[in-house]
Amino acid sequence: MAMRAATAAATGFFSPSSVSPRRFPSATTPASLSPVRCIRRHRLRAFPSSEIPLEELNPSIDLLRKTGEAVGDFRKTPIYIVGTDCTAKRNIAKLLANSIIYRYLCSEELLEDVLGGKDALRAFKESDENGYLEVETEGLKQLTSIGSLVLCCGDGAFMNSTNLGLLRHGVSIWIDVPLEMAANDMLKSTGTQATMDPDSFSQAMSKLRQRYDELKERYGVSDITVSVQSVASQRGYSSVDSVTLEDMVLEIVRQIEKLIRAKEMMEAAGRPF
C-alpha cells in the first residue's frame, strides 16, 4: 500500500512546471567566470570525490566558445544522458548543460526529493520494480516534451520499448564509465573505502557488472556513445584518472556536431534536384 502511494506521488511529481529556467540567459560568457575559476574547473577530473553542485560547474571560456560554434543549430533539441549511475555521469551532464546553455534535471533526484532521499528510492526500486518503471515512463512522457533540456536518466529509461520511443524525441547519449570507478563511487556514498573493505568492493562490482550486462545492448542503441576509456586513449593519457570533465563534454559536443552534419547530409540527399 505504501509503495502504491509512493508511485502515485512520484508520478504526479514530474511536471514541466518544476523545471528551473536555464542558468545563463544567453550564450555569452557569464560575468562571474574569472580566469582563475575557469582554469580550476577545466582541471576537474571526471571522477571527483563527490558530486558537484550545478551552479559551481562553470564552463571555461574556451569550452563555451567551442560548444557555441559546434551546436549553434542544435538549440532546443533535448539531450538524454544514460548509463551506469555515478557522480561522473551527473557531473558531466551538468557541465554539458551549462556549456550549451540548457536546463539540467536528473530523474533520479526528482524521485529522491518526492520519496524522501536516496535510501527511500533504493527501497522503492527493490520492493516495487514495476512501480519504479511506471514512474520512470510517466516522467519521461512529461519531461521529453521540454526543449533545451539535459536530462540525466535512471536505469528505468532503457527498460522498455515505450521509454526507448520517448527518448527519440531528442538525442540519447550513453556515458560509458569504467565499472571500477562506479563501484568506488557507490562505496563512497556509504562512507566505505574500497582499499579498506575489498569484500564490499567485490560485491559492488558484481552488482554493477550484472546490471551493466543486462542493459549494455539497450544502451548501445543510443544516438551517441562516449566512453571514458576511449577519451583517455584519444587524449594520450596513461590512465582514465587523467580524464577531465571538460574532456568528456568536448567529446560529446564533437559527436553532436557529427550527428548534425550527418542529418544535414541526409536531408540534402532527400531533396529533389
Side-chain angles (χ1 to χ4, degrees), residues 78 80-83 133 136-141 144 151 153-174 214-224:
Y80 309 120
I81 304 296
V82 303
L133 294 178
E136 189 83 30
T137 298
E138 184 60 32
L140 286 174
K141 285 179 181 177
T144 51
L151 178 64
C153 301
D155 288 344
F158 268 66
M159 292 295 286
N160 60 48
S161 56
T162 300
N163 292 356
L164 290 173
L166 289 169
L167 294 180
R168 291 301 172 192
H169 286 257
V171 172
S172 54
I173 302 174
W174 176 20
E214 289 172 357
L215 294 173
K216 182 169 57 177
E217 289 187 10
R218 293 178 179 269
Y219 288 151
V221 304
S222 299
D223 298 300
I224 292 171

Side-chain angles (χ1 to χ4, degrees), residues 63-113:
L63 180 58
L64 281 171
R65 178 181 59 80
K66 289 178 179 177
T67 54
E69 292 172 354
V71 300
D73 296 331
F74 189 73
R75 297 295 172 197
K76 297 185 179 179
T77 303
I79 296 173
Y80 309 120
I81 304 296
V82 303
T84 303
D85 188 44
C86 60
T87 57
K89 174 184 160 188
R90 293 190 291 272
N91 286 335
I92 291 165
K94 289 175 184 178
L95 183 58
L96 174 64
N98 282 346
S99 300
I100 61 176
I101 326 301
Y102 267 34
R103 301 172 180 89
Y104 167 83
L105 281 176
C106 175
S107 62
E108 297 287 278
E109 289 176 359
L110 290 175
L111 283 172
E112 288 171 10
D113 287 344

Side-chain angles (χ1 to χ4, degrees), residues 47-68:
F47 291 89
S49 58
S50 60
E51 187 170 349
I52 304 168
L54 177 67
E55 61 273 12
E56 293 183 16
L57 274 170
N58 291 318
S60 68
I61 295 172
D62 186 51
L63 180 58
L64 281 171
R65 178 181 59 80
K66 289 178 179 177
T67 54

Side-chain angles (χ1 to χ4, degrees), residues 117-131:
K118 293 181 182 294
D119 291 340
L121 175 57
R122 189 179 302 113
F124 181 32
K125 287 181 179 180
E126 292 174 355
S127 63
D128 188 5
E129 185 175 16
N130 289 335

